[in-house]
Amino acid sequence: MENLIIKPSYTSLFSCIGPECSDSCCNDWMITFDKQSYKKTLSNKYLADIAAFAILETKDSESEWAVINLDKNGACPFLNPQKLCNIHAKAGEDALSHTCKTYPKRDQLIGPDKYKSLYLSCPEVARIVLFDDNAFQFSANPSGAKTIAAQSPAWLEKSYEYSLDLLLNSGLIWQEALFIIGLLAKTSHDVKTGKVAIEHLEIRYQQLLKMAKMGMISQQFNAISYSEKPQTHTFVAIHDALCTMHSRSTRPRFMSINDAINQLCNEENDYSIESINNSWNLMVENPVVNLDEIFTKFILYSMFHNHFPMHTDHDPEQVFQQLVIDCFMIRCYLAAVYHKEQQLTQADIIKCFQVYQVVRQHKPKFIDRIKNILTEFGLTTLPSAMSLLKTQ
């Protein structure tokens, strides 16, 4: 078999919009230079004067030789008045740092194949993924690579394939689709750890499809109890971690979400999950946007981008629980913004998804924090995790 390059169409639809970007990656990001690119920039006569104070040598490794010293406003000093890159303009793409050359692109080898994606922490990527009707047309073409690589584990590939199919073809709303994927993740974990044979994955998958068609999945999800307390504890802990780790937590874009959340505090000045959920329910009853479609697209993106349920350190059920947390937090942010603005624009939706992903996709410690919170608040079973998505 030939090695393949697998990519969704959102990777081809993307083009950097530069100064028009609502949350530019030329601000507040740690930008590292490899040794070669650093020397090219330093030796360029048009850039040498700025480079002398704008780039700080770290010599951590050949690939991380120096970092950009951002100005007092958090902006890259190589930006010109039009907010375009002087390094690219004066020295060409080869002189750019690895960060600037590649972001928001993400390539990863899984088995013998290369999977291409983009980071949702970029607002323009978020816009395409969530709102472009042509974002999810997939292609698989020969890569031309001759390297012989080990195949990805069969349990992983089957879990990935079946999970995508359950999301798109089970006829369930997004919360119920997540629930059915969680039921499959339990079997994935059992197969991965050798408790049951791999044949059980297909048996379980076929069983779940039948259960969905019979209405049993919807019934089981509806039977999960709603409880404000674990939602409150989880939201407070994770939002606090996001505020602490977010490089732009004091910038207007992040603060607009935080201000919306603060408006929903109760008389004791505590975050009110009840108010957040009431706002969500009102939004669902008077739909200003197809939330089911938006969240289905987000889950589809997340599953492809991360090759669900693949993870080096976490088992399939933990990876699933983290995806539930992502949906829970973004749902809360959307509800808070809707309550504050009494509307939900496309720009609002993009902002809520993208701001969260700045930390979620680039801060490994945040994932560890989520894992600890799930354990601390007893949310490691499927019903308890899914209860976070109940709003009444």
Side-chain angles (χ1 to χ4, degrees):
M1 292 179 62
E2 291 187 276
N3 297 353
L4 299 174
I5 295 176
I6 300 166
K7 66 176 185 177
S9 49
Y10 64 74
T11 60
S12 301
L13 291 169
F14 171 78
S15 179
C16 178
I17 58 175
E20 303 304 316
C21 184
S22 57
D23 199 15
S24 173
C25 55
C26 299
N27 290 76
D28 299 308
W29 286 77
M30 176 179 283
I31 304 170
T32 58
F33 274 84
D34 61 85
K35 187 176 182 180
Q36 185 178 9
S37 298
Y38 167 66
K39 287 188 172 182
K40 283 184 180 180
T41 303
L42 205 63
S43 62
N44 187 285
K45 64 181 180 180
Y46 298 108
L47 301 171
D49 288 345
I50 300 177
F53 69 85
I55 304 180
L56 178 66
E57 284 190 8
T58 58
K59 298 183 180 180
D60 293 332
S61 66
E62 291 286 319
S63 61
E64 297 184 357
W65 195 258
V67 296
I68 294 286
N69 188 19
L70 302 177
D71 68 19
K72 63 181 180 180
N73 296 315
C76 176
F78 287 102
L79 289 176
N80 64 24
Q82 290 75 42
K83 295 185 178 180
L84 297 172
C85 178
N86 269 324
I87 295 178
H88 190 281
K90 305 294 185 182
E93 185 177 347
D94 287 346
L96 292 173
S97 71
H98 177 74
T99 305
C100 299
K101 282 178 186 173
T102 58
Y103 183 80
K105 299 174 186 177
R106 184 198 195 191
D107 295 350
Q108 56 178 344
L109 286 172
I110 302 172
D113 302 323
K114 178 183 286 187
Y115 287 73
K116 288 184 167 292
S117 188
L118 301 171
Y119 286 105
L120 210 67
S121 53
C122 167
E124 180 63 5
V125 173
R127 184 193 67 79
I128 294 168
V129 166
L130 299 175
F131 290 101
D132 196 305
D133 292 337
N134 299 312
F136 290 100
Q137 297 177 12
F138 291 88
S139 64
N141 298 306
S143 67
K146 304 295 183 181
T147 306
I148 299 175
Q151 293 293 321
S152 180
W155 75 264
L156 173 60
E157 293 309 308
K158 286 183 179 293
S159 299
Y160 171 69
E161 176 188 344
Y162 295 157
S163 296
L164 287 175
D165 192 64
L166 290 171
L167 173 68
L168 299 175
N169 298 316
S170 61
L172 302 171
I173 62 172
W174 70 270
Q175 297 97 326
E176 294 168 357
L178 259 185
F179 179 54
I180 200 172
I181 291 166
L183 291 168
L184 182 71
K186 174 66 169 66
T187 305
S188 298
H189 175 72
D190 290 343
V191 173
K192 180 185 179 183
T193 55
K195 292 181 180 178
V196 299
I198 193 168
E199 290 78 16
H200 281 76
L201 262 175
E202 183 171 1
I203 294 170
R204 184 58 164 158
Y205 159 68
Q206 294 292 348
Q207 181 188 52
L208 290 170
L209 276 179
K210 291 177 181 178
M211 290 172 65
K213 291 178 181 178
M214 294 170 64
M216 295 173 65
I217 297 298
S218 299
Q219 290 173 7
Q220 289 185 24
F221 176 74
N222 290 334
I224 295 173
S225 61
Y226 167 63
S227 178
E228 290 179 13
K229 188 174 181 180
Q231 288 195 22
T232 300
H233 289 164
T234 303
F235 178 79
V236 170
I238 294 180
H239 183 63
D240 179 67
L242 194 81
C243 292
T244 301
M245 297 183 193
H246 205 296
S247 60
R248 307 173 190 181
S249 61
T250 59
R251 304 295 184 195
R253 187 173 176 83
F254 185 96
M255 290 302 297
S256 66
I257 296 176
N258 211 33
D259 289 345
I261 294 166
N262 289 335
Q263 281 196 12
L264 288 169
C265 286
N266 58 26
E267 293 179 358
E268 289 75 36
N269 206 32
D270 295 326
Y271 294 132
S272 173
I273 280 294
E274 180 183 10
S275 298
I276 289 173
N277 287 339
N278 287 341
S279 179
W280 173 266
N281 293 334
L282 183 63
M283 197 163 51
V284 171
E285 291 168 7
N286 303 282
V288 291
V289 66
N290 189 336
L291 292 167
D292 184 59
E293 180 179 321
I294 292 292
F295 273 89
T296 298
K297 286 183 175 181
F298 170 66
I299 296 165
L300 174 58
Y301 162 83
S302 297
M303 292 173 72
F304 174 80
H305 185 79
N306 298 311
H307 207 73
F308 179 90
M310 183 179 72
H311 198 286
T312 305
D313 302 317
H314 301 156
D315 64 47
E317 290 178 287
Q318 290 171 332
V319 175
F320 167 77
Q321 292 157 10
Q322 290 160 8
L323 181 55
V324 172
I325 288 288
D326 295 341
C327 293
F328 167 67
M329 293 301 296
I330 293 168
R331 172 181 72 75
C332 290
Y333 292 153
L334 289 170
V337 171
Y338 176 75
H339 177 269
K340 179 176 183 289
E341 304 295 339
Q342 293 300 297
Q343 63 175 348
L344 200 61
T345 66
Q346 183 180 111
D348 291 331
I349 295 168
I350 291 168
K351 177 172 63 177
C352 290
F353 279 88
Q354 177 262 332
V355 164
Y356 177 80
Q357 293 296 330
V358 169
V359 172
R360 174 65 165 93
Q361 292 189 321
H362 303 286
K363 301 286 187 180
K365 289 183 178 179
F366 185 67
I367 309 303
D368 294 335
R369 182 67 182 125
I370 289 177
K371 182 181 176 182
N372 292 337
I373 287 168
L374 286 163
T375 301
E376 182 180 350
F377 298 138
L379 300 171
T380 55
T381 65
L382 180 58
S384 62
M386 290 303 302
S387 71
L388 295 174
L389 300 182
K390 304 285 287 195
T391 57
Q392 54 187 1

